[in-house]
Amino acid sequence: MSEYNWCHNPDCHKVETQSRVRGTGDNKVLRTRKIPLTSEYIRESIYAYFCNQNCLFQFLNKFRQEIANIRPVKQPSETPIKVKKVKSQAYRYQYSNGESNQVPYTSTTTIIESINNE
């Protein structure tokens, strides 16, 4: 495996930044950025193929239809769940006349549990 990738954004070489300038004298060019694969995080993330978020989103915007056609979604997906409501006693502070008093209240928490149907 190579120690680096080139940015996959086809317009990366058109972005005018100093890090893309290459060449000597009057023979200067803007070049696509090289992405060093220095860490496990980079090698296993989308940033192994794009030099920054701007290039990633330019690519996604330019090729959005082709990307969506790779795996089209014709109907929604669903996951069976159980919803539980849990009530608990809690306290909040009420301030009046420079003093604070604990005031009890009942809070309701919604817990979503997945159902394993596999």
Side-chain angles (χ1 to χ4, degrees), residues 88-116:
S88 60
Q89 187 71 26
Y91 295 92
R92 65 177 139 223
Y93 288 93
Q94 183 177 29
Y95 295 94
S96 62
N97 298 330
E99 293 184 16
S100 63
N101 298 315
Q102 274 189 342
V103 178
Y105 72 97
T106 303
S107 68
T108 304
T109 305
T110 303
I111 299 173
I112 298 174
E113 294 178 350
S114 61
I115 300 173
N116 196 356

mmCIF file of all heavy atoms in Angstrom, residues 88-116:
data_model
loop_
_atom_site.group_PDB
_atom_site.id
_atom_site.type_symbol
_atom_site.label_atom_id
_atom_site.label_comp_id
_atom_site.label_asym_id
_atom_site.label_seq_id
_atom_site.Cartn_x
_atom_site.Cartn_y
_atom_site.Cartn_z
ATOM 1 N N SER A 88 -39.025 9.749 37.312
ATOM 2 C CA SER A 88 -38.137 9.803 38.470
ATOM 3 C C SER A 88 -38.338 11.128 39.194
ATOM 4 O O SER A 88 -38.751 12.124 38.596
ATOM 5 C CB SER A 88 -36.677 9.645 38.042
ATOM 6 O OG SER A 88 -36.319 10.674 37.158
ATOM 7 N N GLN A 89 -38.050 11.090 40.469
ATOM 8 C CA GLN A 89 -38.180 12.279 41.305
ATOM 9 C C GLN A 89 -36.866 13.049 41.232
ATOM 10 O O GLN A 89 -35.796 12.482 41.413
ATOM 11 C CB GLN A 89 -38.477 11.881 42.763
ATOM 12 C CG GLN A 89 -38.788 13.022 43.683
ATOM 13 C CD GLN A 89 -40.144 13.652 43.390
ATOM 14 O OE1 GLN A 89 -41.037 13.014 42.867
ATOM 15 N NE2 GLN A 89 -40.279 14.914 43.736
ATOM 16 N N ALA A 90 -36.958 14.323 40.975
ATOM 17 C CA ALA A 90 -35.767 15.164 40.906
ATOM 18 C C ALA A 90 -36.062 16.485 41.609
ATOM 19 O O ALA A 90 -37.181 16.727 42.066
ATOM 20 C CB ALA A 90 -35.365 15.390 39.455
ATOM 21 N N TYR A 91 -35.050 17.305 41.717
ATOM 22 C CA TYR A 91 -35.197 18.609 42.363
ATOM 23 C C TYR A 91 -34.603 19.684 41.485
ATOM 24 O O TYR A 91 -33.648 19.469 40.763
ATOM 25 C CB TYR A 91 -34.479 18.625 43.718
ATOM 26 C CG TYR A 91 -35.087 17.689 44.713
ATOM 27 C CD1 TYR A 91 -34.615 16.380 44.841
ATOM 28 C CD2 TYR A 91 -36.137 18.087 45.524
ATOM 29 C CE1 TYR A 91 -35.168 15.508 45.744
ATOM 30 C CE2 TYR A 91 -36.712 17.215 46.427
ATOM 31 C CZ TYR A 91 -36.223 15.928 46.536
ATOM 32 O OH TYR A 91 -36.787 15.061 47.435
ATOM 33 N N ARG A 92 -35.206 20.849 41.553
ATOM 34 C CA ARG A 92 -34.612 22.029 40.934
ATOM 35 C C ARG A 92 -34.613 23.133 41.977
ATOM 36 O O ARG A 92 -35.293 23.040 42.992
ATOM 37 C CB ARG A 92 -35.358 22.428 39.666
ATOM 38 C CG ARG A 92 -36.779 22.872 39.900
ATOM 39 C CD ARG A 92 -37.428 23.327 38.598
ATOM 40 N NE ARG A 92 -38.793 22.837 38.571
ATOM 41 C CZ ARG A 92 -39.384 22.298 37.545
ATOM 42 N NH1 ARG A 92 -38.742 22.151 36.434
ATOM 43 N NH2 ARG A 92 -40.614 21.882 37.615
ATOM 44 N N TYR A 93 -33.845 24.155 41.724
ATOM 45 C CA TYR A 93 -33.751 25.248 42.682
ATOM 46 C C TYR A 93 -34.586 26.422 42.220
ATOM 47 O O TYR A 93 -34.598 26.783 41.052
ATOM 48 C CB TYR A 93 -32.293 25.676 42.858
ATOM 49 C CG TYR A 93 -31.496 24.659 43.633
ATOM 50 C CD1 TYR A 93 -30.777 23.667 42.972
ATOM 51 C CD2 TYR A 93 -31.492 24.676 45.019
ATOM 52 C CE1 TYR A 93 -30.058 22.722 43.673
ATOM 53 C CE2 TYR A 93 -30.786 23.731 45.735
ATOM 54 C CZ TYR A 93 -30.069 22.763 45.060
ATOM 55 O OH TYR A 93 -29.368 21.826 45.774
ATOM 56 N N GLN A 94 -35.306 26.984 43.183
ATOM 57 C CA GLN A 94 -36.101 28.179 42.915
ATOM 58 C C GLN A 94 -35.510 29.299 43.749
ATOM 59 O O GLN A 94 -35.338 29.163 44.966
ATOM 60 C CB GLN A 94 -37.559 27.928 43.291
ATOM 61 C CG GLN A 94 -38.473 29.082 42.991
ATOM 62 C CD GLN A 94 -39.914 28.742 43.323
ATOM 63 O OE1 GLN A 94 -40.168 27.940 44.221
ATOM 64 N NE2 GLN A 94 -40.834 29.336 42.602
ATOM 65 N N TYR A 95 -35.163 30.394 43.104
ATOM 66 C CA TYR A 95 -34.534 31.519 43.783
ATOM 67 C C TYR A 95 -35.564 32.612 43.990
ATOM 68 O O TYR A 95 -36.271 33.015 43.077
ATOM 69 C CB TYR A 95 -33.366 32.059 42.954
ATOM 70 C CG TYR A 95 -32.253 31.069 42.821
ATOM 71 C CD1 TYR A 95 -32.168 30.218 41.729
ATOM 72 C CD2 TYR A 95 -31.276 30.968 43.803
ATOM 73 C CE1 TYR A 95 -31.142 29.296 41.608
ATOM 74 C CE2 TYR A 95 -30.246 30.042 43.696
ATOM 75 C CZ TYR A 95 -30.193 29.222 42.595
ATOM 76 O OH TYR A 95 -29.182 28.303 42.491
ATOM 77 N N SER A 96 -35.638 33.111 45.220
ATOM 78 C CA SER A 96 -36.507 34.253 45.522
ATOM 79 C C SER A 96 -35.959 34.963 46.757
ATOM 80 O O SER A 96 -35.517 34.335 47.712
ATOM 81 C CB SER A 96 -37.949 33.808 45.742
ATOM 82 O OG SER A 96 -38.028 32.934 46.840
ATOM 83 N N ASN A 97 -35.937 36.253 46.694
ATOM 84 C CA ASN A 97 -35.454 37.103 47.790
ATOM 85 C C ASN A 97 -34.031 36.726 48.217
ATOM 86 O O ASN A 97 -33.706 36.718 49.404
ATOM 87 C CB ASN A 97 -36.395 37.037 48.996
ATOM 88 C CG ASN A 97 -37.780 37.543 48.665
ATOM 89 O OD1 ASN A 97 -37.941 38.409 47.803
ATOM 90 N ND2 ASN A 97 -38.791 36.998 49.325
ATOM 91 N N GLY A 98 -33.190 36.376 47.263
ATOM 92 C CA GLY A 98 -31.800 36.053 47.559
ATOM 93 C C GLY A 98 -31.595 34.686 48.172
ATOM 94 O O GLY A 98 -30.480 34.341 48.554
ATOM 95 N N GLU A 99 -32.645 33.900 48.305
ATOM 96 C CA GLU A 99 -32.512 32.551 48.866
ATOM 97 C C GLU A 99 -32.892 31.513 47.817
ATOM 98 O O GLU A 99 -33.691 31.768 46.930
ATOM 99 C CB GLU A 99 -33.433 32.390 50.081
ATOM 100 C CG GLU A 99 -33.038 33.237 51.258
ATOM 101 C CD GLU A 99 -33.934 32.964 52.461
ATOM 102 O OE1 GLU A 99 -34.637 31.935 52.459
ATOM 103 O OE2 GLU A 99 -33.915 33.779 53.366
ATOM 104 N N SER A 100 -32.292 30.343 47.947
ATOM 105 C CA SER A 100 -32.641 29.259 47.025
ATOM 106 C C SER A 100 -33.313 28.144 47.817
ATOM 107 O O SER A 100 -32.913 27.802 48.921
ATOM 108 C CB SER A 100 -31.394 28.725 46.321
ATOM 109 O OG SER A 100 -30.505 28.166 47.261
ATOM 110 N N ASN A 101 -34.356 27.598 47.228
ATOM 111 C CA ASN A 101 -35.096 26.492 47.838
ATOM 112 C C ASN A 101 -35.181 25.346 46.847
ATOM 113 O O ASN A 101 -35.366 25.554 45.643
ATOM 114 C CB ASN A 101 -36.519 26.930 48.202
ATOM 115 C CG ASN A 101 -36.524 28.047 49.214
ATOM 116 O OD1 ASN A 101 -35.790 28.004 50.193
ATOM 117 N ND2 ASN A 101 -37.336 29.065 48.972
ATOM 118 N N GLN A 102 -35.032 24.124 47.363
ATOM 119 C CA GLN A 102 -35.208 22.956 46.522
ATOM 120 C C GLN A 102 -36.688 22.708 46.300
ATOM 121 O O GLN A 102 -37.462 22.647 47.255
ATOM 122 C CB GLN A 102 -34.606 21.717 47.179
ATOM 123 C CG GLN A 102 -33.151 21.514 46.916
ATOM 124 C CD GLN A 102 -32.687 20.154 47.423
ATOM 125 O OE1 GLN A 102 -33.352 19.520 48.245
ATOM 126 N NE2 GLN A 102 -31.544 19.713 46.930
ATOM 127 N N VAL A 103 -37.067 22.538 45.043
ATOM 128 C CA VAL A 103 -38.457 22.272 44.711
ATOM 129 C C VAL A 103 -38.498 20.919 44.002
ATOM 130 O O VAL A 103 -37.844 20.739 42.975
ATOM 131 C CB VAL A 103 -39.020 23.374 43.784
ATOM 132 C CG1 VAL A 103 -40.455 23.069 43.403
ATOM 133 C CG2 VAL A 103 -38.900 24.738 44.445
ATOM 134 N N PRO A 104 -39.242 19.962 44.526
ATOM 135 C CA PRO A 104 -39.301 18.656 43.875
ATOM 136 C C PRO A 104 -40.174 18.696 42.619
ATOM 137 O O PRO A 104 -41.117 19.470 42.523
ATOM 138 C CB PRO A 104 -39.931 17.755 44.944
ATOM 139 C CG PRO A 104 -40.704 18.676 45.812
ATOM 140 C CD PRO A 104 -39.999 19.999 45.769
ATOM 141 N N TYR A 105 -39.822 17.874 41.671
ATOM 142 C CA TYR A 105 -40.650 17.693 40.485
ATOM 143 C C TYR A 105 -40.418 16.288 39.942
ATOM 144 O O TYR A 105 -39.418 15.650 40.245
ATOM 145 C CB TYR A 105 -40.369 18.761 39.415
ATOM 146 C CG TYR A 105 -39.053 18.612 38.701
ATOM 147 C CD1 TYR A 105 -38.977 17.988 37.463
ATOM 148 C CD2 TYR A 105 -37.870 19.098 39.261
ATOM 149 C CE1 TYR A 105 -37.764 17.850 36.812
ATOM 150 C CE2 TYR A 105 -36.668 18.961 38.617
ATOM 151 C CZ TYR A 105 -36.617 18.333 37.385
ATOM 152 O OH TYR A 105 -35.425 18.202 36.754
ATOM 153 N N THR A 106 -41.361 15.826 39.153
ATOM 154 C CA THR A 106 -41.261 14.508 38.547
ATOM 155 C C THR A 106 -40.825 14.678 37.098
ATOM 156 O O THR A 106 -41.461 15.391 36.326
ATOM 157 C CB THR A 106 -42.614 13.777 38.599
ATOM 158 O OG1 THR A 106 -43.031 13.708 39.967
ATOM 159 C CG2 THR A 106 -42.518 12.380 38.024
ATOM 160 N N SER A 107 -39.716 14.047 36.748
ATOM 161 C CA SER A 107 -39.243 14.116 35.363
ATOM 162 C C SER A 107 -39.563 12.804 34.668
ATOM 163 O O SER A 107 -39.602 11.748 35.287
ATOM 164 C CB SER A 107 -37.745 14.398 35.312
ATOM 165 O OG SER A 107 -37.024 13.296 35.802
ATOM 166 N N THR A 108 -39.800 12.892 33.381
ATOM 167 C CA THR A 108 -40.079 11.716 32.573
ATOM 168 C C THR A 108 -38.988 11.594 31.523
ATOM 169 O O THR A 108 -38.721 12.528 30.782
ATOM 170 C CB THR A 108 -41.449 11.833 31.885
ATOM 171 O OG1 THR A 108 -42.445 12.062 32.885
ATOM 172 C CG2 THR A 108 -41.781 10.582 31.102
ATOM 173 N N THR A 109 -38.361 10.426 31.475
ATOM 174 C CA THR A 109 -37.319 10.151 30.506
ATOM 175 C C THR A 109 -37.811 9.074 29.557
ATOM 176 O O THR A 109 -38.397 8.076 29.984
ATOM 177 C CB THR A 109 -36.038 9.651 31.221
ATOM 178 O OG1 THR A 109 -35.661 10.612 32.204
ATOM 179 C CG2 THR A 109 -34.911 9.441 30.241
ATOM 180 N N THR A 110 -37.593 9.287 28.272
ATOM 181 C CA THR A 110 -37.965 8.301 27.268
ATOM 182 C C THR A 110 -36.732 7.474 26.928
ATOM 183 O O THR A 110 -35.693 8.017 26.571
ATOM 184 C CB THR A 110 -38.496 8.992 25.997
ATOM 185 O OG1 THR A 110 -39.605 9.816 26.362
ATOM 186 C CG2 THR A 110 -38.920 7.981 24.962
ATOM 187 N N ILE A 111 -36.849 6.160 27.045
ATOM 188 C CA ILE A 111 -35.750 5.251 26.734
ATOM 189 C C ILE A 111 -36.159 4.407 25.535
ATOM 190 O O ILE A 111 -37.215 3.783 25.526
ATOM 191 C CB ILE A 111 -35.423 4.353 27.941
ATOM 192 C CG1 ILE A 111 -34.987 5.215 29.130
ATOM 193 C CG2 ILE A 111 -34.354 3.332 27.579
ATOM 194 C CD1 ILE A 111 -34.796 4.448 30.401
ATOM 195 N N ILE A 112 -35.320 4.414 24.516
ATOM 196 C CA ILE A 112 -35.572 3.620 23.313
ATOM 197 C C ILE A 112 -34.643 2.418 23.349
ATOM 198 O O ILE A 112 -33.431 2.556 23.429
ATOM 199 C CB ILE A 112 -35.329 4.454 22.040
ATOM 200 C CG1 ILE A 112 -36.296 5.634 22.002
ATOM 201 C CG2 ILE A 112 -35.460 3.588 20.792
ATOM 202 C CD1 ILE A 112 -36.046 6.594 20.863
ATOM 203 N N GLU A 113 -35.240 1.220 23.295
ATOM 204 C CA GLU A 113 -34.468 -0.014 23.302
ATOM 205 C C GLU A 113 -34.703 -0.741 21.980
ATOM 206 O O GLU A 113 -35.829 -0.870 21.530
ATOM 207 C CB GLU A 113 -34.920 -0.924 24.448
ATOM 208 C CG GLU A 113 -34.629 -0.369 25.821
ATOM 209 C CD GLU A 113 -35.143 -1.278 26.922
ATOM 210 O OE1 GLU A 113 -35.877 -2.243 26.640
ATOM 211 O OE2 GLU A 113 -34.800 -1.010 28.074
ATOM 212 N N SER A 114 -33.623 -1.208 21.367
ATOM 213 C CA SER A 114 -33.790 -1.954 20.122
ATOM 214 C C SER A 114 -34.204 -3.383 20.439
ATOM 215 O O SER A 114 -33.855 -3.941 21.469
ATOM 216 C CB SER A 114 -32.504 -1.927 19.305
ATOM 217 O OG SER A 114 -31.459 -2.533 20.028
ATOM 218 N N ILE A 115 -34.958 -3.956 19.523
ATOM 219 C CA ILE A 115 -35.391 -5.349 19.652
ATOM 220 C C ILE A 115 -34.534 -6.162 18.700
ATOM 221 O O ILE A 115 -34.474 -5.878 17.499
ATOM 222 C CB ILE A 115 -36.876 -5.500 19.283
ATOM 223 C CG1 ILE A 115 -37.744 -4.646 20.209
ATOM 224 C CG2 ILE A 115 -37.276 -6.963 19.341
ATOM 225 C CD1 ILE A 115 -39.191 -4.605 19.803
ATOM 226 N N ASN A 116 -33.853 -7.157 19.199
ATOM 227 C CA ASN A 116 -32.967 -7.957 18.378
ATOM 228 C C ASN A 116 -33.746 -9.105 17.752
ATOM 229 O O ASN A 116 -34.037 -10.093 18.390
ATOM 230 C CB ASN A 116 -31.794 -8.477 19.222
ATOM 231 C CG ASN A 116 -30.659 -8.968 18.368
ATOM 232 O OD1 ASN A 116 -30.747 -8.993 17.160
ATOM 233 N ND2 ASN A 116 -29.587 -9.350 19.020
#
